[in-house]
Amino acid sequence: MKKSEMQEKFRLLLEDRKERIKKAADKGNQPTALMFYGEVCGIAASMRTIGLIDWDQKDYIEREAWAIYKREEPEYEAC
């Protein structure tokens, strides 16, 4: 599998889990939202382990997912 194909598959997984965090948090279902947050962290760690992203990107993904859980605006880094 090409690197770009793997990146796309992981991106889709992350988008899905982040949406599930949002839905669960909006419904007040904190345990489920935290479970999906844990999945996002695991996906990000996997991506970092196989070299698709670096540590900073992994941390950013995790912070963004936590902000979604807390129903806050995610921090976007300046370009």
Side-chain angles (χ1 to χ4, degrees):
M1 181 180 295
K2 294 179 185 176
K3 184 176 179 178
S4 62
E5 291 172 334
M6 284 195 309
Q7 286 174 322
E8 180 63 14
K9 287 183 183 278
F10 277 113
R11 186 188 66 76
L12 292 172
L13 282 171
L14 287 170
E15 280 183 16
D16 177 67
R17 295 319 185 276
K18 288 176 186 178
E19 184 61 31
R20 289 175 186 238
I21 292 169
K22 183 177 178 352
K23 286 180 183 178
D26 288 348
K27 290 180 182 178
N29 190 344
Q30 291 178 324
T32 300
L34 284 172
M35 179 191 71
F36 288 122
Y37 169 74
E39 288 187 17
V40 167
C41 293
I43 293 167
S46 297
M47 292 174 74
R48 211 254 0 120
T49 300
I50 61 175
L52 295 177
I53 60 175
D54 62 24
W55 283 103
D56 290 336
Q57 291 167 313
K58 176 191 156 304
D59 290 342
Y60 177 78
I61 291 168
E62 292 174 354
R63 285 192 311 270
E64 182 183 32
W66 187 249
I68 293 168
Y69 168 76
K70 301 290 278 179
R71 291 189 248 162
E72 299 170 349
E73 283 295 315
E75 293 179 20
Y76 293 103
E77 296 176 354
C79 295

